[in-house]
Amino acid sequence: MNLQNSVARMKNEQLSCIAEIGNAEYVSTLKGIAPLLKPLRENPDFFIDAVVIDRVIGKSAAFLLIKGRIKSIHALIISQHALDLLNKHHVPVTYDKLVPFIINNTNTGMCPMEASVLNVEDPEEAFQVLIDKVESMRNK
């Protein structure tokens, strides 16, 4: 995967995530953590050894990448919480822009997904917290 070409493609095609998994490619236009959560819920082995490029990586997305056992990640924007977590789990990471935290859609505070796992340390616990959070937000 050529990083520069993939980042340009992501921007040109309005993609949220590109993953190279062996000889296959996964692309998504879904928003938030959905591009990572949806395939992981269907197949926990979906992202094994994938090289992933994502627009925004907060701590919630970082947990999903760790659970997915990816090979490496490049983020256009990454939170300090996510960077610390990925480094702790020895996941190779590069990024374009580092921010203190991921901002919610209304620009009034922290992203609810990142906030929901802020004090979580275990990837399996985080996965369940995120599933529960998505379900509770859907039901509102």
Side-chain angles (χ1 to χ4, degrees), residues 73-128:
I73 174 73
H74 178 80
L76 302 188
I77 298 171
I78 191 167
S79 75
Q80 186 66 58
H81 303 290
L83 183 60
D84 293 345
L85 182 68
L86 291 165
N87 286 335
K88 179 181 174 185
H89 287 268
H90 310 290
V91 176
V93 58
T94 58
Y95 55 88
D96 294 343
K97 183 178 180 183
L98 177 65
V99 296
F101 59 89
I102 303 304
I103 298 173
N104 64 20
N105 291 336
T106 57
N107 295 319
T108 57
M110 186 180 287
C111 163
M113 293 298 138
E114 186 162 47
S116 71
V117 294
L118 210 51
N119 297 315
V120 176
E121 293 300 320
D122 177 64
E124 291 302 322
E125 179 185 351
F127 186 65
Q128 192 56 55

Side-chain angles (χ1 to χ4, degrees), residues 7-67:
V7 168
R9 179 177 169 214
M10 177 178 275
K11 291 176 180 177
N12 292 337
E13 296 178 25
Q14 300 299 306
L15 301 174
S16 54
C17 180
I18 300 174
E20 186 178 274
I21 310 163
N23 294 329
E25 181 182 70
Y26 166 74
V27 297
S28 180
T29 57
L30 296 172
K31 302 294 180 207
I33 63 169
L36 303 174
L37 184 61
K38 186 177 186 305
L40 278 174
R41 287 185 81 175
E42 294 169 3
N43 176 5
D45 296 333
F46 186 84
F47 286 110
I48 288 178
D49 292 330
V51 175
V52 178
I53 301 173
D54 200 292
R55 281 190 180 269
V56 179
I57 298 293
K59 190 172 182 183
S60 55
F63 268 125
L64 295 176
L65 295 167
I66 291 163
K67 178 174 174 48

